[in-house]
Amino acid sequence: MKEILLKEKFLILSTLFMSVLFAYAVTRGIWKLEIAPVLKWSVSLFLLTGVFNVVFLLSVRPDAYNFLSILFGTAQVSIVFLFLATLVLEGLRIANVYTNMAGVIIMSCAAVLAVYSVYNSGTAPRVRNIEIASPLLPEDWKPIRIVQLSDMHIGMGMSREDFVSAIAEVKAIKPDMIVITGDVIDGYVEELLSEVSFLKELEAPLGVFAVNGNHETFFGIQKWTDAFEAMGISVLRDEYKTVKNDKHDFVIKGIEGSSNSFSEKQETNLPVIILAHYPGIFLESKKQNPVLQLSGHTHGGMFFPVSMLVKAFNKGYVRGLYQENNSFLYVTDGTDLWRGFPSRLGTSNEIPVITLKSKM
């Protein structure tokens, strides 16, 4: 019942929000241009579908996506880009330098960027190699390679074909450890279990570990935890596990929930790697001097200026590698992107391969 109420609340709020942006972009942007009325109506009707993109995604079965999901998603992203362009036009009007030609060019550029950003959001994830040398590791520490998967959003994101391809790419890398930092799915176990069954093919000498994200919470966190465990994935729900790397042990800890639910320090003299869906938890976790925290959730901020909002809501951590004192945080752009807002400019789907070694 709680999950259903969350879904309904999210549907209402997202639709209302997009309605406001749509109304502003159309009345103050599109309809202020001196262009043919048929073009104004066509663009406006196309944009109207974008208001209901999230409703569409949450109301149809995952296998019903494709052309319609691209149509609705492109319209939704276009609303946001044209809304931002309309703000620029308002500024030109206030400065008394507005011309119809300038309006047409700015709105056209915004539309082209919107379409490109949707295309870019659907490209295959690329491998990103990151090397981290930590002074917190023993001098004779054997370097390990960690593959991070995050934010696949299967059901409302990564297709089955892309998912299978990504799993094959991960297997080809032959990492020492695989971690999954949340938002694997967007649907219930009963709907998507067969779609994510390929996760059982993930293997690594030091183990495959995961934490849940907010989208697992929306669709039955306990059922998904049980399903992932049955596939051989160790789901850490505010838990520690000790892993042996050659001559040295280290601890891997999974943090579930927001920074407000960060658990008390567990005393250990071993190096600690933290998995947390929310990067903002680093404000608290760094006090425990972990070697590394791996997070997702932000999708890299997607594009400017949305990235500024993402930064504010995630305690300043958006994408890439951060170092504070001797602790590192890596925030991935994500393996894929939620189709509830499929847009990327300056970011890309990625599979990070982190080589963790000692700093001599």
Side-chain angles (χ1 to χ4, degrees):
M1 179 62 70
K2 182 179 178 181
E3 293 159 5
I4 294 173
L5 290 174
L6 280 172
K7 176 180 175 181
E8 291 179 347
K9 184 178 180 180
F10 181 70
L11 280 173
I12 293 170
L13 291 176
S14 63
T15 303
L16 285 174
F17 178 71
M18 291 307 303
S19 297
V20 171
L21 298 191
F22 164 79
Y24 187 80
V26 168
T27 60
R28 298 295 299 171
I30 300 298
W31 281 85
K32 290 289 183 180
L33 299 178
E34 295 177 12
I35 56 177
V38 66
L39 187 56
K40 292 180 182 180
W41 278 107
S42 298
V43 172
S44 299
L45 290 174
F46 166 69
L47 293 178
L48 183 60
T49 63
V51 172
F52 304 102
N53 183 42
V54 174
V55 175
F56 169 76
L57 287 172
L58 293 176
S59 301
V60 301
R61 293 179 57 82
D63 57 9
Y65 303 160
N66 204 346
F67 172 75
L68 283 179
S69 67
I70 295 172
L71 175 70
F72 279 66
T74 302
Q76 183 198 35
V77 172
S78 297
I79 289 173
V80 175
F81 275 73
L82 292 174
F83 167 79
L84 294 172
T86 302
L87 292 180
V88 174
L89 299 189
E90 297 283 35
L92 295 180
R93 293 187 186 108
I94 292 171
N96 291 318
V97 293
Y98 174 83
T99 64
N100 184 64
M101 181 59 70
V104 170
I105 291 173
I106 290 171
M107 296 297 271
S108 298
C109 288
V112 170
L113 286 174
V115 172
Y116 173 75
S117 75
V118 173
Y119 165 78
N120 189 46
S121 74
T123 56
R126 62 187 181 88
V127 173
R128 182 190 296 271
N129 292 294
I130 302 108
E131 189 172 283
I132 297 174
S134 172
L136 299 177
L137 294 172
E139 288 188 6
D140 57 347
W141 169 269
K142 180 183 177 182
I144 61 174
R145 289 202 306 163
I146 306 169
V147 161
Q148 181 185 8
L149 298 174
S150 190
D151 302 278
M152 289 175 276
H153 294 283
I154 297 165
M156 295 183 196
M158 186 169 259
S159 68
R160 181 186 179 92
E161 293 76 16
D162 288 341
F163 184 42
V164 172
S165 177
I167 295 298
E169 190 159 16
V170 170
K171 291 168 67 176
I173 294 170
K174 297 182 179 179
D176 299 298
M177 186 167 72
I178 299 171
V179 301
I180 304 170
T181 49
D183 283 4
V184 174
I185 52 81
D186 263 300
Y188 296 100
V189 170
E190 296 80 8
E191 298 173 327
L192 293 177
L193 188 58
S194 63
E195 295 292 316
V196 302
S197 62
F198 285 94
L199 282 173
K200 65 186 178 184
E201 296 182 17
L202 293 175
E203 294 180 339
L206 301 184
V208 181
F209 301 92
V211 289
N212 289 310
N214 51 304
H215 285 248
E216 279 79 26
T217 302
F218 297 153
F219 295 102
I221 194 167
Q222 188 57 56
K223 285 188 176 181
W224 275 116
T225 296
D226 294 341
F228 295 147
E229 291 275 2
M231 296 176 201
I233 300 167
S234 181
V235 182
L236 304 175
R237 306 186 68 182
D238 291 324
E239 298 174 272
Y240 276 101
K241 284 209 174 177
T242 302
V243 181
K244 188 169 188 63
N245 174 37
D246 196 31
K247 295 183 289 185
H248 296 283
D249 290 343
F250 67 96
V251 165
I252 183 164
K253 179 180 181 181
I255 299 174
E256 186 168 276
S258 68
S259 56
N260 293 327
S261 64
F262 189 85
S263 58
E264 295 297 321
K265 180 176 180 179
Q266 177 169 325
E267 296 295 337
T268 177
N269 293 320
L270 299 175
V272 176
I273 296 175
I274 289 177
L275 307 182
H277 183 63
Y278 297 95
I281 290 174
F282 192 57
L283 282 179
E284 294 297 322
S285 71
K286 67 184 180 182
K287 297 175 184 177
Q288 298 188 16
N289 296 317
V291 173
L292 174 65
Q293 176 179 314
L294 296 173
S295 297
H297 184 59
T298 64
H299 300 158
M302 293 177 287
F303 64 89
F304 181 84
V306 171
S307 57
M308 301 303 292
L309 290 174
V310 174
K311 183 177 182 179
F313 280 105
N314 289 277
K315 310 297 176 70
Y317 305 109
V318 182
R319 64 189 299 251
L321 188 64
Y322 299 85
Q323 180 180 3
E324 296 188 19
N325 297 323
N326 290 323
S327 295
F328 290 87
L329 163 67
Y330 186 75
V331 186
T332 177
D333 286 358
T335 314
D336 202 79
L337 197 67
W338 180 54
R339 296 296 106 184
F341 193 73
S343 178
R344 284 195 185 277
L345 279 179
T347 65
S348 60
N349 300 327
E350 67 172 22
I351 299 176
V353 181
I354 296 125
T355 300
L356 184 59
K357 64 182 185 178
S358 174
K359 185 175 183 179
M360 300 297 183

